[in-house]
Amino acid sequence: MRTFLILGALFFFLHSSWAPTWGQYVANWGLLLAALGWLGGMSSKSKIRYQRNRYYDNDYYDQQHR
């Protein structure tokens, strides 16, 4: 939560009048890249994991078929 607040404060600072002129571009691109990274992480978690078949993928199969 603290990291989120710090990044939010940095974003608002870069959009303020105290920031350099390129601050808005850095804030917008940073926000876009963070959103893409977050969405990429979400999509990688939605993949179906490989599930082992206990009869064919471990020692049980080897012991039964010698």
Side-chain angles (χ1 to χ4, degrees):
M1 183 67 176
R2 181 175 43 177
T3 304
F4 179 72
L5 291 174
I6 291 171
L7 291 176
L10 181 64
F11 179 79
F12 284 116
F13 170 73
L14 288 174
H15 275 280
S16 72
S17 60
W18 291 352
T21 56
W22 47 264
Q24 290 182 356
Y25 299 111
V26 171
N28 291 336
W29 279 105
L31 187 63
L32 178 67
L33 292 175
L36 289 175
W38 181 72
L39 288 174
M42 297 255 318
S43 67
S44 67
K45 292 178 184 174
S46 66
K47 293 179 182 174
I48 298 172
R49 295 188 317 173
Y50 171 73
Q51 295 180 352
R52 291 179 46 175
N53 186 337
R54 71 181 183 100
Y55 296 110
Y56 297 106
D57 200 22
N58 60 12
D59 294 334
Y60 177 80
Y61 180 81
D62 297 333
Q63 291 171 5
Q64 300 299 322
H65 297 88
R66 286 189 181 193

